Amino acid sequence: METELNPLQRAVIEALGVPAGWEPLPDDIVQTIEDQLTEALAPIKGLFTADNPLRINKHHIATVHGCEKYHMLNRQAQFAWNINTVRGTIAHKGIELLLNWRGPIIPSEIVDAAITSVAENPRESASDFISSLPANELAELRGAVVGAVTNFLECFPPVKPQWRPMVEYSASYSLFDKSVLFTSRMDLVLGAPGRKVLIDLKTGRLTPTHRDDLRFYALVETLRSRQPPRSLCSHSLDSARLDDEDVTEGLLQSAVRRTAQGTLLIADLVLKTREPEIRPGFQCRWCPANDNCEVGQKYLRQLTGEEDADE
């Protein structure tokens, strides 16, 4: 039965629907984009192997364009779960279950099923962290995720099967005999090949980096499927804010330049051909090197007004 859409849901439909007169990008754009990326990365051809490839994802590109020292610390450190990161994981699992749920839609029940699914799956790296949470922290986590899933229900129109929804959709592309590997994992993808809408669901505020992340996704998807997606969308579940843009040849070329530049920087750092540069930024607030980094400490003092920027 069709249900009446609320204003937020109508806004999503208007933003993500196929506009009148839309035409897919010409087929030859894919080869052009691939040639540009291959040429830009020619300097690192032969420096890595398929057995030990240079792995590149959106987080690698984002961090290396910020502080290279922070990038390397993240690359070398073992990932540790916390409440904020696991909140996003459980929220995405809840939305995945929601899209395939049979029966009454009750957010709290869907979230309970999502928590159980992750906590009892030995292949999920977050399972031990969730199982170790005391009752009060687990209750807080549950409440936060119920809010995120409820927001998704209020903001997004009911997702129809004919939209071909895919949750946690992974794509990869490699160069130079699989020695350089680009990987992506998208929260939600709607549409058929050549008409796909790539959607990132955020449990916090939207930032300019999120748009760059989606452009990286668009590049990987274009090269993997040989068909560019139609559009990109970041959606904040907390603020109900939507940030979308159409995929154009210019967008893909911009993604090639940013990805190639970041990949070359990462290759230098991995091969230790130079020392990482320290560039202060918002990452200083949670960088593990804060106690011993004078540049980062000065930046944080400037943020809090304890020190003027020109001192």
Side-chain angles (χ1 to χ4, degrees):
M1 180 181 298
E2 293 290 335
T3 58
E4 184 177 351
L5 301 181
N6 65 39
L8 293 175
Q9 293 171 324
R10 288 198 299 271
V12 171
I13 288 287
E14 291 171 4
L16 303 185
V18 181
W22 175 82
E23 294 288 342
L25 294 175
D27 293 340
D28 60 358
I29 283 179
V30 177
Q31 189 60 54
T32 299
I33 293 299
E34 186 171 48
D35 290 344
Q36 290 175 354
L37 183 64
T38 303
E39 180 180 356
L41 295 182
I44 63 172
K45 183 177 182 180
L47 300 182
F48 300 91
T49 66
D51 293 332
N52 189 24
L54 179 64
R55 300 178 182 275
I56 304 293
N57 61 32
K58 70 170 187 179
H59 185 65
H60 295 149
I61 296 294
T63 55
V64 81
H65 281 300
C67 178
E68 293 182 346
K69 183 174 181 179
Y70 175 74
H71 168 85
M72 291 304 294
L73 289 171
N74 271 265
R75 235 184 145 83
Q76 296 161 359
Q78 185 175 0
F79 178 78
W81 287 98
N82 58 50
I83 288 293
N84 289 330
T85 54
V86 84
R87 176 194 175 198
T89 295
I90 300 299
H92 292 154
K93 173 60 70 172
I95 292 170
E96 177 183 355
L97 296 178
L98 171 65
L99 296 182
N100 297 282
W101 197 260
R102 297 293 179 266
I105 302 297
I106 303 175
S108 59
E109 292 184 0
I110 294 173
V111 170
D112 286 340
I115 292 174
T116 299
S117 175
V118 174
E120 296 184 356
N121 186 349
R123 292 176 296 179
E124 287 279 1
S125 61
S127 60
D128 290 341
F129 177 82
I130 295 173
S131 300
S132 69
L133 287 176
N136 64 310
E137 292 186 16
L138 184 60
E140 291 175 1
L141 172 64
R142 181 179 182 272
V145 180
V146 167
V149 172
T150 301
N151 287 342
F152 179 83
L153 285 167
E154 292 178 352
C155 297
F156 261 74
V159 178
K160 301 177 181 180
Q162 55 266 40
W163 295 353
R164 301 190 184 188
M166 294 182 287
V167 180
E168 298 293 316
Y169 170 70
S170 297
S172 64
Y173 172 77
S174 63
L175 279 175
F176 310 137
D177 297 323
K178 301 181 180 180
S179 64
V180 180
L181 179 63
F182 302 93
T183 61
S184 63
R185 190 173 184 180
M186 299 158 232
D187 295 339
L188 177 62
V189 176
L190 303 176
R195 303 169 66 91
K196 289 179 180 177
V197 179
L198 312 185
I199 302 171
D200 237 0
L201 301 172
K202 300 298 180 182
T203 51
R205 65 185 181 89
L206 299 182
T207 70
T209 301
H210 296 152
R211 179 169 282 206
D212 288 328
D213 290 344
L214 278 167
R215 291 176 177 180
F216 174 79
Y217 287 165
L219 175 62
V220 175
E221 173 61 21
T222 296
L223 296 175
R224 185 203 72 85
S225 69
R226 317 306 294 179
Q227 298 177 90
R230 181 173 60 81
S231 64
L232 313 173
C233 170
S234 293
H235 192 278
S236 170
L237 298 174
D238 291 348
S239 65
R241 180 187 165 198
L242 191 73
D243 181 26
D244 63 289
E245 63 177 340
D246 295 333
V247 175
T248 64
E249 182 177 5
L251 180 148
L252 292 173
Q253 290 175 342
S254 173
V256 166
R257 290 191 294 270
R258 179 174 180 270
T259 298
Q261 182 185 15
T263 301
L264 293 174
L265 293 174
I266 292 169
D268 280 347
L269 297 173
V270 170
L271 295 171
K272 299 182 179 179
T273 60
R274 61 179 175 84
E275 291 297 314
E277 294 185 16
I278 298 176
R279 306 188 191 104
F282 285 110
Q283 72 278 353
C284 293
R285 292 176 296 181
W286 49 78
C287 179
N290 263 341
D291 293 340
N292 302 310
C293 181
E294 292 184 6
V295 174
Q297 290 175 358
K298 180 177 181 179
Y299 176 81
L300 292 174
R301 290 195 297 270
Q302 292 170 353
L303 279 183
T304 58
E306 298 176 29
E307 182 175 328
D308 293 334
D310 56 356
E311 290 184 5

